[in-house]
Amino acid sequence: MRTVIIGLGGIGTYLAEPICRISSSSKSPRASRRILMVDGDKYEERNRERQIFREQANKAQETCVRLKDFFPNLEIEFKPTYITAENAFLFIKENDSVFLGVDNHATRKIVSDRVATLDNALLISGGNEVRDGNAQVYRREGGKDITPPLTFAHPEIEFPTDKHPNDLHCGELVEAGVTQVLAANLAAASVMVSIYTIWLQEGKTPHHEIYFDILTGNSRSATLPAVFSTSVKGE
């Protein structure tokens, strides 16, 4: 069992420490002391207003080094690379709990498709625009979908038109970034941590998708398809 955090940017920078804190202290048999952080990007000075880092280095490496000092009882590792269809099997394995905080649908589809090949795995994905966003849960148990994959009801993920980070040159990487605010990043990370906490404590994932809006203060869960609702109620 491992916990894998993919994407240490706007959302991941606030997700990593709470996940490590929970992993370090949780008594749940579903919690893991092994943390893997994956990101091919590096921090830049322009990120400082809403991301946490000491050095302008690779995001996964910098976060890993920073948090190792705080959580010596955890085995924290990093991979300074982007997830691709070719390497996803190396980073996402059976029984992993995966947190996905990326900003492109191409990567979301790659990760969701990889989880679909596993018998047991938990995927919690978060994203946000300027003021609103969502968190999705894709859970597999015994080779079956307990909740829908990320592509369910999201054609923009099933048929992504954006480019994978590996396919962008430096200029496009800057242009592709959506203007965001700190509060929305924090909201997405908070929802993801809440979902994970419920799963650790009760072994349940009562929601498969939660939407939030920081301007209105509203949040709501998406209606679960009937084919999945029986499985969730029977947990």
Side-chain angles (χ1 to χ4, degrees), residues 55-111:
E55 304 287 339
Q56 294 183 45
N58 173 268
K59 292 180 177 181
Q61 178 181 1
E62 161 63 14
T63 305
C64 175
V65 171
R66 177 171 60 85
L67 293 180
K68 272 188 172 183
D69 294 339
F70 293 101
F71 304 101
N73 65 325
L74 297 181
E75 180 183 330
I76 308 177
E77 300 178 324
F78 71 92
K79 296 294 182 181
T81 186
Y82 291 115
I83 291 284
T84 67
E86 291 72 31
N87 68 20
F89 76 97
L90 295 173
F91 305 128
I92 304 172
K93 302 181 179 181
E94 286 288 351
N95 298 309
D96 281 350
S97 296
V98 183
F99 293 87
L100 184 60
V102 299
D103 60 1
N104 68 92
H105 297 315
T107 301
R108 292 185 180 107
K109 177 172 173 54
I110 288 171
V111 174

Side-chain angles (χ1 to χ4, degrees), residues 48 77 153 176 210 219:
R48 196 173 294 280
E77 300 178 324
I210 297 176
S219 65

Side-chain angles (χ1 to χ4, degrees), residues 52-216:
I52 304 171
F53 58 93
R54 297 179 299 190
E55 304 287 339
Q56 294 183 45
N58 173 268
K59 292 180 177 181
Q61 178 181 1
E62 161 63 14
T63 305
C64 175
V65 171
R66 177 171 60 85
L67 293 180
K68 272 188 172 183
D69 294 339
F70 293 101
F71 304 101
N73 65 325
L74 297 181
E75 180 183 330
I76 308 177
E77 300 178 324
F78 71 92
K79 296 294 182 181
T81 186
Y82 291 115
I83 291 284
T84 67
E86 291 72 31
N87 68 20
F89 76 97
L90 295 173
F91 305 128
I92 304 172
K93 302 181 179 181
E94 286 288 351
N95 298 309
D96 281 350
S97 296
V98 183
F99 293 87
L100 184 60
V102 299
D103 60 1
N104 68 92
H105 297 315
T107 301
R108 292 185 180 107
K109 177 172 173 54
I110 288 171
V111 174
S112 182
D113 287 351
R114 169 56 182 165
V115 170
T117 68
L118 303 175
D119 288 338
N120 299 282
L122 174 68
L123 168 60
I124 302 175
S125 174
N128 65 270
E129 297 294 342
V130 177
R131 72 180 196 186
D132 61 348
N134 72 327
Q136 293 177 264
V137 184
Y138 181 24
R139 183 170 145 220
R140 297 269 297 171
E141 281 191 5
K144 297 181 180 180
D145 286 349
I146 303 302
T147 58
L150 303 190
T151 53
F152 176 80
H154 284 279
E156 73 278 11
I157 299 178
E158 186 172 9
F159 307 104
T161 57
D162 53 5
K163 290 184 178 181
H164 185 277
N166 268 346
D167 300 325
L168 297 174
H169 60 68
C170 294
E172 288 179 311
L173 284 172
V174 174
E175 294 173 4
V178 177
T179 302
Q180 297 183 8
V181 295
L182 172 62
N185 293 152
L186 286 168
S190 179
V191 173
M192 294 169 73
V193 170
S194 298
I195 292 169
Y196 185 56
T197 300
I198 294 172
W199 182 72
L200 285 181
Q201 293 178 347
E202 303 182 16
K204 298 180 179 181
T205 49
H207 311 289
H208 83 281
E209 186 163 11
I210 297 176
Y211 299 94
F212 65 86
D213 188 317
I214 63 171
L215 181 63
T216 63

